[in-house]
């Protein structure tokens, strides 16, 4: 922590990064990007566009669209660095991984088990059966594999899909490729926490703000609440507590990834609502509230600003972000392209607000 003034009513930390972010594309990208840039200096940009970002050429073109959206919002391109990723498929060639690694723009490759989540239709059907050449190349180049860790077996209960993934996919994967850097994205269970804490080798995990703050009751408070629906789905309270202990516990293996995933209001408030919570707007307010409630504001900087860059082998940012204790009211909805988006916990209030970035 760089500075803590008064009765801990302000908190200045090294400028944070978001290690798991969905920016989407086109008009939506232009709407949501400024929310991230107000807080974060860098973000790992998820590749689950339609069509997915499967090649280095596509990742570079997407990066150019992000830079154009920054300019369009009057933001200097050097204020924000998008760290691009590739979407792993059954057909990703080792040469594509080499190209990605040599591009200097692609920082990771993302595994979506086919059918596991939003825009995962082109994802992997059999990781060790189909992706060995790509995984070998990633291990050789030190290119991290980012994992949406849920099995898709319809026989497995929705709430158990992360725990079952550890046994069926994560353990065999890491036995076959022990030097591969792996980030277990958006973990939601005590099994996920325990695995990441105890496993050997280069493993880490991101944790969202919503999984730190809420349990699955939020989905059903007085009725079905589509804006609380994301994947992996919110779990029971014991899991939420394990996540808070992991995030605030001082282990360098856990770091910030919002998984901010905007969907238009009409596709959330729907008979078959999309999975994803919009948290980019108030990410640091949400995380600060979670850390404060746990009495561990002193650990926010490591989680938000230091552990992620260390795992990715990047320097920490030079700038700072200052948060102030005070009521932050979450707006009911925001414009998003030609539609609107409802931020997580719309209408509620948080205990911290972002005061300044420098
Ligand atoms: N988290 C979500 O519920 N949705 C994400 C996809 C993902 O990260 O799994 C999305 O792209 O909408
Ligand atoms: Zn995911
Ligand atoms: Zn995501």
């Amino acid at each position: 922590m760089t500075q803590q003034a008064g009765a801990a009513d302000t908190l200045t930390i090294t400028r944070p990064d978001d290690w798991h972010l969905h920016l989407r594309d086109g008009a939506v990208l232009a709407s949501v990007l400024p929310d991230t840039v107000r807080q974060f200096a860098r973000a790992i940009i998820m590749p689950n566009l339609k069509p997915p970002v499967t090649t280095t050429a596509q990742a570079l073109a997407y990066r150019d669209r992000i830079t154009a959206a920054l300019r369009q919002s009057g933001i200097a391109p050097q204020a924000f660095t998008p760290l691009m990723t590739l979407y792993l498929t059954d057909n990703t060639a080792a040469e594509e991984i080499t190209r990605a690694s040599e591009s200097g723009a692609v920082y990771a490759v993302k595994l979506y088990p086919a059918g596991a989540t939003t825009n995962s239709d082109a994802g992997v059907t059999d990781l060790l059966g189909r992706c060995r050449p790509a995984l070998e190349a990633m291990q050789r180049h030190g290119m991290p594999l980012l994992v949406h860790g849920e099995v898709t077996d319809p026989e497995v209960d929705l709430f158990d899909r992360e725990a079952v993934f550890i046994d069926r996919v994560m353990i065999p994967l890491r036995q076959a490729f022990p030097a591969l850097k792996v980030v277990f994205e958006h973990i939601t269970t005590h099994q996920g926490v325990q695995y990441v804490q105890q496993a050997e080798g280069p493993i880490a995990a991101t944790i969202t703000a919503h999984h730190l703050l809420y349990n699955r009751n939020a989905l059903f408070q007085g009725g079905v609440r589509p804006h609380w629906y994301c994947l992996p789905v919110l779990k029971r309270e014991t899991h939420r507590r394990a996540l808070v202990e992991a995030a605030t516990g001082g282990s360098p293996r856990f770091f910030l990834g919002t998984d901010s995933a905007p969907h238009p209001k009409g596709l959330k408030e729907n008979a078959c609502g999309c999975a994803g919570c919009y948290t980019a707007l108030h990410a640091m307010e949400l995380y600060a509230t979670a850390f404060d409630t746990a009495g561990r504001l002193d650990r926010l900087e490591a989680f938000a600003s230091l552990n992620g860059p260390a795992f990715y082998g990047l320097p920490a940012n030079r700038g700072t972000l200052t948060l102030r204790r005070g009521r932050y009211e979450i707006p009911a909805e925001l414009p998003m392209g030609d539609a609107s988006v409802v931020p997580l916990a719309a209408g509620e209030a948080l205990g911290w607000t972002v005061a300044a970035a420098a």
Side-chain angles (χ1 to χ4, degrees):
M1 200 166 23
T2 312
Q3 185 192 328
Q4 195 165 344
D9 281 343
T10 66
L11 178 65
T12 297
I13 60 171
T14 301
R15 191 86 191 264
D17 303 301
D18 185 350
W19 299 96
H20 184 132
L21 176 66
H22 300 271
L23 283 179
R24 314 304 191 199
D25 211 344
V28 174
L29 162 62
S31 308
V32 300
L33 182 57
D35 285 340
T36 288
V37 177
R38 267 194 292 278
Q39 302 159 74
F40 301 103
R42 297 172 290 198
I44 283 278
I45 310 300
M46 289 293 143
N48 61 333
L49 303 183
K50 290 185 230 173
V53 179
T54 57
T55 66
T56 305
Q58 286 172 320
L60 292 172
Y62 186 24
R63 189 178 65 160
D64 288 346
R65 297 197 295 281
I66 296 169
T67 306
L70 287 171
R71 287 187 205 283
Q72 192 187 319
S73 301
I75 301 164
Q78 57 272 24
F80 179 72
T81 307
L83 309 173
M84 307 311 293
T85 62
L86 293 191
Y87 184 116
L88 187 68
T89 74
D90 286 350
N91 303 313
T92 304
E95 296 73 42
E96 194 57 58
I97 302 299
T98 301
R99 256 195 299 282
S101 173
E102 288 171 354
S103 75
V106 177
Y107 287 80
V109 175
K110 181 68 190 269
L111 164 64
Y112 292 101
T117 187
T118 306
N119 297 345
S120 62
D121 301 352
V124 170
T125 62
D126 176 6
L127 184 64
L128 289 180
R130 305 295 297 267
C131 300
R132 279 181 188 267
L135 293 168
E136 266 159 26
M138 290 168 61
Q139 180 170 253
R140 194 167 61 244
H141 289 290
M143 173 76 77
L145 178 69
L146 315 183
V147 177
H148 180 108
E150 289 191 289
V151 293
T152 54
D153 182 347
E155 303 279 298
V156 176
D157 189 276
L158 179 78
F159 291 94
D160 297 334
R161 287 183 184 176
E162 181 175 295
V164 173
F165 183 92
I166 296 170
D167 294 329
R168 287 197 195 165
V169 184
M170 191 61 102
I171 291 173
L173 163 71
R174 299 194 63 252
Q175 252 155 17
F177 297 95
L180 178 67
K181 282 184 160 186
V182 174
V183 183
F184 200 157
E185 296 291 331
H186 48 43
I187 56 167
T188 61
T189 59
H190 74 78
Q191 291 96 334
V193 167
Q194 196 175 41
Y195 175 75
V196 171
Q197 266 164 348
Q198 295 176 359
E200 283 176 32
I203 176 98
T206 54
I207 305 179
T208 78
H210 41 294
H211 290 99
L212 289 176
L213 285 166
Y214 305 104
N215 66 36
R216 65 194 191 179
N217 287 351
L219 276 162
F220 305 107
Q221 196 99 47
V224 177
R225 302 275 194 145
H227 297 292
W228 300 87
Y229 175 58
C230 65
L231 288 170
V233 73
L234 292 170
K235 303 294 192 299
R236 61 167 69 238
E237 177 64 9
T238 48
H239 295 292
R240 188 194 69 80
R241 288 200 189 155
L243 295 171
V244 171
E245 274 176 33
T248 63
S251 162
R253 287 186 168 182
F254 300 99
F255 46 84
L256 184 158
T258 62
D259 193 20
S260 176
H263 291 277
K265 182 179 173 184
L267 293 183
K268 294 284 291 175
E269 298 176 5
N270 193 287
C272 187
C274 293
C277 299
Y278 187 59
T279 54
L281 173 74
H282 45 339
M284 288 307 298
E285 282 89 352
L286 290 162
Y287 280 110
T289 301
F291 275 66
D292 193 16
T293 304
R296 294 288 358 185
L297 275 173
D298 60 318
R299 295 262 167 86
L300 182 61
E301 181 176 53
F303 178 79
S305 315
L306 306 178
N307 298 346
F311 185 82
Y312 276 83
L314 295 169
N317 295 312
R318 281 214 284 266
T320 60
L321 188 80
T322 298
L323 292 136
R324 197 180 54 234
R325 193 186 292 280
R327 194 176 158 82
Y328 173 87
E329 295 201 13
I330 305 170
E333 62 183 78
L334 307 156
M336 185 182 78
D338 53 14
S340 64
V341 64
V342 175
L344 184 81
E348 295 183 16
L350 298 168
W352 286 81
T353 182
V354 169

